[in-house]
Amino acid sequence: MKTTLTVIKADVGGFTGHSDVHPKLIESAQKSLESGKKKGIILDYHVAKSGDDLELIMTHTRGTDSKEVHELAWDTFVGATAIAKDLKLYGAGQDLLADAFSGNIKGMGPGCAELEFEERKSEPILVFMMDKTDPGAFNLPVFKMFADPFNTAGLTIDPTMINGFRFEVWDVYENKRIMLDTPEELYTLLSLIGTKSKYVIKRVYPRAGNKVPENEAVAAVSTDKLHLIAGEYVGKDDPVAIVRCQSGLPSQGEVLEPFAFPHLVAGWMRGSHNGPLMPVGQKNSMTTRFDGPTRVVGLGFQIANGKLVGPADLLGDIAFDNARKKALEIADYMRRHGPFEPHRLSAEEMEYTSMPKVMEKIKERFEKI
Ligand code: 13P
Ligand code: 13P
Ligand code: MG
Ligand code: MG
């Protein structure tokens, strides 16, 4: 019997502004998932938050893209939205871009990452949840976990990892994908995923010789782009990722290691600025300064016969204190640029924010020179 871990998230209203999730929304989501568990739709669940995003972490045996599981998540968000509207929370129902559920949550606004697998003797899995950024923010850390020997010692020490990993990369604008094998196609992979607004890592697979079968993805990232669905700026995508660890895969510590470097990502204020990605514990996920800085929460679970044992609030540990401090220094530095690039996103990326509406207003006033 295979287990599926599904993480589905949405911003259904911020408390206050775009900063946090109100406790009543968490409570409402817990009740909804508890009833889904009683009905046998899911085996177990954990409700988390990252900034203003409500995060549903669920286990079941229905495989990826299960209509029942996606519908449970949708109904959970609809229920929480009703409360958000009562409390007049900011942007109530922000990410629910469709009127009614239509079979699969993809393309309806919420973000989704899923992995189906045969549970190993021990199954440690990490769930990463970011607020105020887009899916490309996962490119650098996921690349480091599975392809950088300076990050992941196992790539050079563990005989079952020495053949490397296969990356599934999506072009999110053209709806195309490419499979690239590392280490031999490392440079080609980097030439694509360095352009993180367009090319995003969707999944990672083990290669021959690993203990995990080649067709079983070991990492998955939500790649849902809100502006491509809505046709205008409605908030940032705020992606999630699931990563399996240990026994032929990067160890938990190797999966966490990339977050010790607060790299620059797109998002932050109005989804229009580059800034550092700050690792935080669950209780510090609230975004404040300039609606940020962009944050990532990392929760660990041991999966035991479909049950979620956890969470362990891994990125909240003191080992990431220096990364937080560095992130705050970078935030100071970047902020001093005000409206100037490269703090503000490039003109090309600003096309997907509210900027085109400003340009529309003045376009007639440009004269030939
Ligand atoms: P243990 O020997 O404690 O299992 O640790 C192995 C390992 O993978 C450390 O990263
Ligand atoms: P969210 O995408 O987290 O709702 O943030 C939107 C925003 O504009 C923050 O300034
Ligand atoms: Mg919001
Ligand atoms: Mg958000």
Side-chain angles (χ1 to χ4, degrees), residues 50-51 129-134 137 236 238-239 262-269 271-280 284-297 323-324 327-328 331:
S50 183
M129 299 159 286
M130 296 181 181
D131 187 40
K132 306 291 183 271
T133 189
D134 57 24
K236 240 355 189 196
D238 304 338
H263 71 297
L264 292 174
V265 298
W268 207 348
M269 174 57 70
S272 307
H273 294 80
N274 287 307
L277 177 70
M278 183 163 78
V280 291
N284 290 318
S285 79
M286 177 170 75
T287 54
T288 53
R289 183 180 179 191
F290 203 51
D291 283 1
T294 301
R295 289 165 206 232
V296 55
V297 174
R324 287 186 266 279
L328 296 177

Side-chain angles (χ1 to χ4, degrees), residues 42-323:
I42 52 174
L43 289 172
D44 206 358
Y45 66 88
H46 176 74
V47 178
K49 61 178 178 174
S50 183
D52 60 359
D53 289 275
L54 185 56
E55 316 270 354
L56 313 179
I57 301 168
M58 303 171 283
T59 50
H60 54 94
T61 54
R62 296 168 185 270
T64 58
D65 292 312
S66 153
K67 178 178 176 290
E68 292 76 19
V69 175
H70 284 210
E71 188 161 28
L72 173 63
W74 179 262
D75 291 345
T76 301
F77 292 137
V78 169
T81 297
I83 296 170
K85 285 187 172 154
D86 275 350
L87 301 177
K88 292 180 69 176
L89 297 182
Y90 196 71
Q94 176 179 288
D95 289 358
L96 305 189
L97 302 177
D99 296 328
F101 183 72
S102 63
N104 191 303
I105 204 137
K106 285 171 199 163
M108 300 179 70
C112 175
E114 304 186 275
L115 286 180
E116 185 187 25
F117 49 87
E118 201 73 59
E119 273 185 36
R120 296 169 294 167
K121 200 168 79 185
S122 178
E123 192 61 64
I125 293 202
L126 307 194
V127 177
F128 294 101
M129 299 159 286
M130 296 181 181
D131 187 40
K132 306 291 183 271
T133 189
D134 57 24
F138 274 112
N139 281 5
L140 187 147
V142 173
F143 167 80
K144 281 186 157 185
M145 292 168 201
F146 289 96
D148 178 4
F150 283 74
N151 178 87
T152 295
L155 291 168
T156 61
I157 295 174
D158 182 341
T160 64
M161 281 171 79
I162 211 119
N163 290 340
F165 290 89
R166 166 170 285 196
F167 286 76
E168 178 180 334
V169 176
W170 283 17
D171 175 333
V172 288
Y173 289 96
E174 302 288 330
N175 286 314
K176 288 192 287 202
R177 70 174 177 186
I178 181 170
M179 306 296 267
L180 292 164
D181 289 330
T182 57
E184 60 271 36
E185 294 182 295
L186 200 72
Y187 300 155
T188 313
L189 173 65
L190 285 170
S191 56
L192 292 181
I193 65 172
T195 305
K196 60 186 175 38
S197 59
K198 179 171 167 68
Y199 297 104
V200 300
I201 297 171
K202 178 65 186 175
R203 292 185 191 87
V204 181
Y205 297 86
R207 295 185 67 191
N210 201 294
K211 291 177 198 158
V212 177
E214 284 165 81
N215 60 355
E216 224 179 69
V218 293
V221 181
S222 69
T223 48
D224 314 82
K225 281 256 197 200
L226 273 177
H227 68 74
L228 294 179
I229 299 167
E232 62 172 350
Y233 180 70
V234 285
K236 240 355 189 196
D237 320 308
D238 304 338
V240 291
I242 309 173
V243 185
R244 296 169 68 195
C245 318
Q246 305 285 157
S247 308
L249 308 178
S251 70
Q252 172 172 299
E254 289 163 345
V255 170
L256 292 172
E257 177 66 12
F259 298 101
F261 169 53
H263 71 297
L264 292 174
V265 298
W268 207 348
M269 174 57 70
R270 298 171 189 272
S272 307
H273 294 80
N274 287 307
L277 177 70
M278 183 163 78
V280 291
Q282 178 70 97
K283 73 174 186 344
N284 290 318
S285 79
M286 177 170 75
T287 54
T288 53
R289 183 180 179 191
F290 203 51
D291 283 1
T294 301
R295 289 165 206 232
V296 55
V297 174
L299 301 181
F301 296 92
Q302 291 288 153
I303 313 271
N305 307 311
K307 295 279 180 210
L308 285 166
V309 180
D313 193 0
L314 299 165
L315 292 180
D317 182 56
I318 53 168
F320 294 93
D321 282 356
N322 282 356

